[in-house]
Each structure stands twice: as structure tokens, then as C-alpha cells.
Amino acid sequence: MNQNMPPIPEPPGPPLGERGRALWDEILERFELYPWETVVLVEACRCLDLLERLAETDAPDTQTNRHGEIVAAAHVVEARQQQATALRLLASLRLPEDLDAFNAGGGTRPQRRGAARGSYGKRNPRSIG
């Protein structure tokens, strides 16, 4: 832990589970976050805790829908959504992968992405109609 870093604060709200708390401690041991980034981290930790609870279910991973088709069970669908949400939340923190390179580079985070990429440009209002 960096000697200049304050002690790791307790997460706000209800206590985190084991997996969420591990992520909380791991990130805050290395980085000092702005308050709005802390909110994002808390939500990512809660996603991981929910994923852990969903993984512990004894329910089958598939079920038969009203049309007789075999489909993914609700907990599988929810787990997929929580995984995607957790990944987006963590990516939005822009934490560097290599802590040594981060410190050697003056402690700046990776560049923020701008607007949507791709073939999106300004529309020509005269071409409509």
C-alpha cells in the first residue's frame, strides 16, 4: 500500500459480500478514487456479490417456456446481465492494468473515450425530405 494513501474506507450502504469486499479492498489499496468513482465501484462490487449468489443456486440452468422450447433459466439470464454491467462499471473507472507503468508515467489514467466511434457524423439537414 502506498504510504501516502489514506486508510481504506468502509463501503457505504449495506455490507458487501466476500467477493465484493475483496474487489473494494483490492482497488482502494492501489488507487485513490473521486467520490463519483467510489459510487461506481460500490455498484460493481454489488454486481459481483449478486453474481456470487446467483452462482450458488441449485436451480437448473435451463427451463421449458410456454411454447415447449428449452431456454436459459431466469438466473442465467440475470447473471449474464450482471456480468455485463459489472464489466461496464469497472471499465468506466479507467484503472490501469500495469501499476508499475502507471506510477512511472506520472500516475495518469488511460485516455477517456470521446463520443461514439464509427460512421456517425453530422447529418445534413438539407438532405432530409
Side-chain angles (χ1 to χ4, degrees):
M1 185 168 144
N2 185 338
Q3 302 301 335
N4 298 327
M5 296 277 291
I8 296 174
E10 289 296 315
L16 295 173
E18 186 176 324
R19 193 169 175 199
R21 184 58 194 236
L23 177 67
W24 175 267
D25 290 343
E26 181 75 22
I27 289 178
L28 291 180
E29 278 179 3
R30 291 177 164 79
F31 303 101
E32 192 169 348
L33 301 181
Y34 290 110
W36 56 88
E37 292 173 323
T38 302
V39 170
V40 172
L41 177 59
V42 167
E43 294 308 318
C45 292
R46 288 181 180 154
C47 284
L48 291 184
D49 287 342
L50 179 54
L51 281 166
E52 195 68 25
R53 290 192 305 272
L54 290 169
E56 292 171 355
T57 184
D58 292 334
D61 290 344
T62 60
Q63 62 189 29
T64 304
N65 68 11
R66 63 184 180 156
H67 303 291
E69 302 164 328
I70 296 177
V71 296
H75 72 279
V76 173
V77 174
E78 182 61 27
R80 187 172 50 228
Q81 293 296 326
Q82 290 297 319
Q83 289 167 341
T85 300
L87 291 173
R88 281 194 306 271
L89 289 167
L90 291 171
S92 74
L93 291 175
R94 302 178 304 108
L95 298 175
E97 294 176 20
D98 184 352
L99 192 55
D100 293 332
F102 171 75
N103 291 329
T108 58
R109 293 192 192 173
Q111 179 181 355
R112 291 181 190 233
R113 293 275 184 218
R117 293 180 284 168
S119 59
Y120 301 105
K122 291 184 179 180
R123 292 181 73 175
N124 183 349
R126 294 183 184 169
S127 66
I128 300 175

